[in-house]
Amino acid sequence: MSLGPYASFIVTSYLAVAIVVSILIGWIMIDYRNQTERLRELDKSGVTRRSGRSATELR
């Protein structure tokens, strides 16, 4: 299979997209870990989540 005269452009474009997607996936994984750590710290300090309350407790 020949990509023709634009082979280097095509390969470079796919490589750039793969790098950007990898960076985004890594960023999401790191952010998720940071958020779960923050939630653990808040739970340890006694802060309760609004989502943990039922609708009857709000009244």
Side-chain angles (χ1 to χ4, degrees):
M1 181 175 115
S2 175
L3 298 176
Y6 302 108
S8 62
F9 174 75
I10 293 169
V11 171
T12 305
S13 298
Y14 274 97
L15 183 62
V17 168
I19 290 170
V20 169
V21 169
S22 299
I23 290 170
L24 289 173
I25 289 171
W27 183 11
I28 290 169
M29 290 171 57
I30 291 169
D31 187 52
Y32 178 77
R33 285 188 202 144
N34 289 340
Q35 286 184 15
T36 55
E37 182 62 31
R38 286 184 198 152
L39 284 174
R40 277 190 225 113
E41 290 173 3
L42 287 173
D43 285 342
K44 286 179 186 177
S45 68
V47 175
T48 58
R49 299 183 206 172
R50 286 183 173 182
S51 61
R53 292 188 277 179
S54 68
T56 58
E57 292 180 56
L58 295 176
R59 293 180 185 178

